Amino acid sequence: MRRWCTNAREVVVGTGSGGGEGAATVVLAHGYGVSQASWDEVLPSIISKASKVLLFDWDFTAARADGEDEEKTRYTFGRFADDLIALMDEREVRGAVFVGHSMSAMVGCIASARRPDLFAHLLLLCASPRYINSEEEGYVGGFEEASIHAMLGAMESDFQGWVKGFVPNAAGGTAMEERIERSFLAMDPAVALGVARMIFLGDQREALDAVCTPCTIIQARHDFAAPPVVAEYMQRRMMVAGTDVALEIVDSVGHFPQLVASVPVSDILDGVLLPLRDEGGHDTVNAQILPAEDVEVDGGAIDVMM
């Protein structure tokens, strides 16, 4: 089975900082097209309030080998969720604050429904359970289905050209554009297309009903990929299901507020981490950064839907 979690590393915080005893473990899961480096702008603030931070990369670089069973390497949110669970089990993480950006937000929702013991709070950053509008259901996802298929066709025919057209919108016209573009271009085009199909054609709305972990939804005010109306839908649906959920709108442009609006994003994270630090209790060791390494984790062949 394809393993998607790589380069896992832990930042363990000493008691001399603002984190340490009583603070939470934080798991950071990046979104499509980028890496754990996308957390660099908010990581110092998180470290100052956490006992441990676990980061990793989704491997968007490894295309399916010749002769490899397509079914066993099919891209599903369920398999990504299984890999996240396996990584947290391997690192003995329990009761964590999970911060998931973009696709990882829905991965975290599914993983938390399957293993609620692993999660104390979910922070869902620029999330969307469904990108395609449904007039019959009165659902606004932000895109017509024909537009999604046109985008996927452009990716398939000229991946580099698609990246150069897509990233400026995702970066919000900021100085981070070149950095994000390099990360997108590092993806294997076949993997990028397969994961994009999973994300943009999928429907994870039912997964929201199964989340029992408290959540904070963080949405950029001007996000072309996941507009605020999607975040409002998520909040309403999760509240109906009985989830304790808050919605925070960040005055930011583009799909990466953790990079371009790091201060307000950090402030929201603080609002979750500080009360947990005051309430909880964890054993800590001296501050150290463990080296990045490949983590072998197995994901089950479970469909996208719950």
Side-chain angles (χ1 to χ4, degrees):
M1 186 65 62
R2 175 64 53 78
R3 298 181 173 109
W4 293 108
C5 287
T6 66
N7 303 324
R9 65 188 179 109
E10 297 178 17
V11 180
V12 184
V13 181
T15 56
S17 73
E21 186 174 358
T25 294
V26 178
V27 178
L28 298 175
H30 66 82
Y32 177 76
V34 292
S35 70
Q36 61 183 265
S38 64
W39 300 113
D40 285 354
E41 301 300 317
V42 297
L43 186 57
S45 178
I46 293 171
I47 288 174
S48 70
K49 300 168 187 71
S51 63
K52 181 169 69 175
V53 182
L54 175 62
L55 305 97
F56 64 92
D57 293 325
W58 296 120
D59 187 2
F60 298 136
T61 63
R64 188 173 67 250
D66 290 341
E68 194 171 7
D69 189 334
E70 183 175 357
E71 175 61 25
K72 290 184 178 179
T73 58
R74 186 166 59 95
Y75 309 99
T76 73
F77 277 94
R79 285 178 175 167
F80 279 98
D82 284 341
D83 277 7
L84 173 63
I85 289 168
L87 174 62
M88 293 175 71
D89 276 340
E90 175 155 332
R91 295 301 174 114
E92 299 181 344
V93 171
R94 295 291 184 276
V97 172
F98 173 82
V99 188
H101 173 237
S102 193
M103 63 168 270
S104 286
M106 295 312 302
V107 170
C109 287
I110 294 170
S112 72
R114 294 176 178 178
R115 287 287 304 279
D117 60 303
L118 300 182
F119 302 90
H121 200 103
L122 305 180
L123 286 122
L124 311 177
L125 179 61
C126 294
S128 176
R130 175 69 166 165
Y131 287 86
I132 297 175
N133 301 328
S134 175
E135 185 176 351
E136 297 80 6
E137 299 174 291
Y139 175 76
V140 178
F143 298 88
E144 296 299 326
E145 187 169 1
S147 298
I148 294 294
H149 284 290
M151 182 194 74
L152 295 172
M155 291 181 67
E156 189 169 17
S157 63
D158 181 6
F159 178 68
Q160 185 172 3
W162 172 80
V163 168
K164 291 185 177 298
F166 179 85
V167 166
N169 288 326
T174 68
M176 293 293 177
E177 180 177 325
E178 182 179 351
R179 175 177 171 182
I180 295 171
E181 181 180 291
R182 286 197 304 269
S183 184
F184 268 70
L185 290 173
M187 291 191 287
D188 180 276
V191 174
L193 179 60
V195 177
R197 285 175 173 153
M198 177 194 84
I199 294 169
F200 290 106
L201 295 177
D203 187 349
Q204 308 307 311
R205 288 176 290 175
E206 289 187 9
L208 299 172
D209 302 335
V211 177
C212 58
T213 304
C215 295
T216 301
I217 300 168
I218 307 174
Q219 181 53 53
R221 188 176 304 280
H222 305 287
D223 182 353
F224 83 105
V229 65
V230 175
E232 293 165 1
Y233 167 87
M234 291 176 63
Q235 184 189 34
R236 288 195 304 271
R237 182 154 183 165
M238 296 173 88
M239 289 177 68
V240 168
T243 306
D244 179 5
V245 55
L247 172 59
E248 299 280 356
I249 303 295
V250 175
D251 192 13
S252 175
V253 178
H255 196 55
F256 295 90
Q258 72 272 39
L259 286 173
V260 304
S262 59
V263 172
V265 171
S266 293
D267 288 344
I268 295 168
L269 297 179
D270 288 354
V272 172
L273 292 175
L274 289 173
L276 290 175
R277 184 186 67 181
D278 295 340
E279 295 170 5
H282 294 77
D283 293 331
T284 59
V285 298
N286 293 330
Q288 56 179 317
I289 298 180
L290 304 183
E293 61 185 31
D294 288 345
V295 178
E296 296 187 353
V297 294
D298 292 322
I302 299 175
D303 288 338
V304 176
M305 300 305 297
M306 297 295 294

